[in-house]
């Protein structure tokens, strides 16, 4: 399973910490590579396009709140980015929504919770069935 991770300056520190924690996964770091101020849509769109093209199976996006970068990612066709603040929403994002990008806020969740959220997201499968019909309706909106 190939996973890409990216952040703006608001998520930079959490990205660095997650890279150290998520060692059982194949993680590719798409930046940013310092705490200098950058624009979250650039990083959200760049990663999202590479997930949409199937270069990566899943993405993890981090900004200060997780809001801006998830909004940007969701503009890319084929992307379902879910902003999660706990393990329950991460589990449901995969089981019910077949989310392909996890977004979190570096100023919202600490590294312990973020690690649990990411592990839950990456280890949970889509349930399909009635949920596939609903996800198909989301795709039809694109
Ligand atoms: C940057 O200050 C901040 O606005 C950004 O990281 C994010 O929280 C936007 O949604």
């Amino acid at each position: 399973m190939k996973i890409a991770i990216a952040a703006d300056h608001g998520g930079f520190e959490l990205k660095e910490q997650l890279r150290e924690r998520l060692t059982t996964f194949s993680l590719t770091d798409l930046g940013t590579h310092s705490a200098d101020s950058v624009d979250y849509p650039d990083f959200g769109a760049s990663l999202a396009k590479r997930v949409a093209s199937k270069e990566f199976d899943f993405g993890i996006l981090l900004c200060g709140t997780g809001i801006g970068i998830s909004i940007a990612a969701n503009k890319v066709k084929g992307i379902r980015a879910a902003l999660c603040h706990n393990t329950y929403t991460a589990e449901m994002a995969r089981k019910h929504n077949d989310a392909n990008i996890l977004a979190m806020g570096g100023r919202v969740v600490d590294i312990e919770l973020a690690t649990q959220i990411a592990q839950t997201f990456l280890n949970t499968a889509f349930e399909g069935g009635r949920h596939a019909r609903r996800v198909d309706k989301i795709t039809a909106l694109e």
Side-chain angles (χ1 to χ4, degrees):
M1 194 158 75
K2 292 198 295 181
I3 299 149
I5 188 167
D8 76 349
H9 55 287
F12 170 70
E13 188 180 340
L14 184 59
K15 175 172 71 65
E16 297 305 296
Q17 294 172 323
L18 279 172
R19 286 181 57 209
E20 288 176 15
R21 295 292 188 95
L22 299 176
T23 51
T24 58
F25 299 98
S26 169
L27 270 191
T28 299
D29 185 355
L30 302 182
T32 185
H33 299 293
S34 81
D36 294 346
S37 183
V38 292
D39 295 336
Y40 59 80
D42 297 337
F43 291 86
S46 171
L47 180 144
K49 286 174 186 171
R50 295 173 73 171
V51 171
S53 73
K54 309 287 186 201
E55 180 182 348
F56 295 101
D57 300 299
F58 294 102
I60 299 173
L61 285 173
L62 312 162
C63 68
T65 58
I67 296 171
I69 208 159
S70 60
I71 291 173
N74 276 317
K75 296 293 183 186
V76 175
K77 192 175 178 183
I79 291 303
R80 290 176 298 281
L83 173 56
C84 298
H85 298 309
N86 51 49
T87 57
Y88 176 72
T89 48
E91 184 184 345
M92 289 303 120
R94 290 289 307 125
K95 280 186 174 174
H96 288 192
N97 311 118
D98 199 18
N100 46 17
I101 290 179
L102 167 66
M104 292 185 284
R107 299 170 185 157
V108 179
V109 292
D110 65 16
I111 181 57
E112 302 302 334
L113 180 55
T115 303
Q116 289 173 22
I117 291 171
Q119 287 172 337
T120 300
F121 184 89
L122 296 171
N123 288 322
T124 302
F126 179 47
E127 280 183 350
R130 68 186 187 281
H131 304 296
R133 183 181 71 244
R134 294 160 185 166
V135 170
D136 287 347
K137 289 189 175 186
I138 294 173
T139 303
L141 295 169
E142 292 177 339

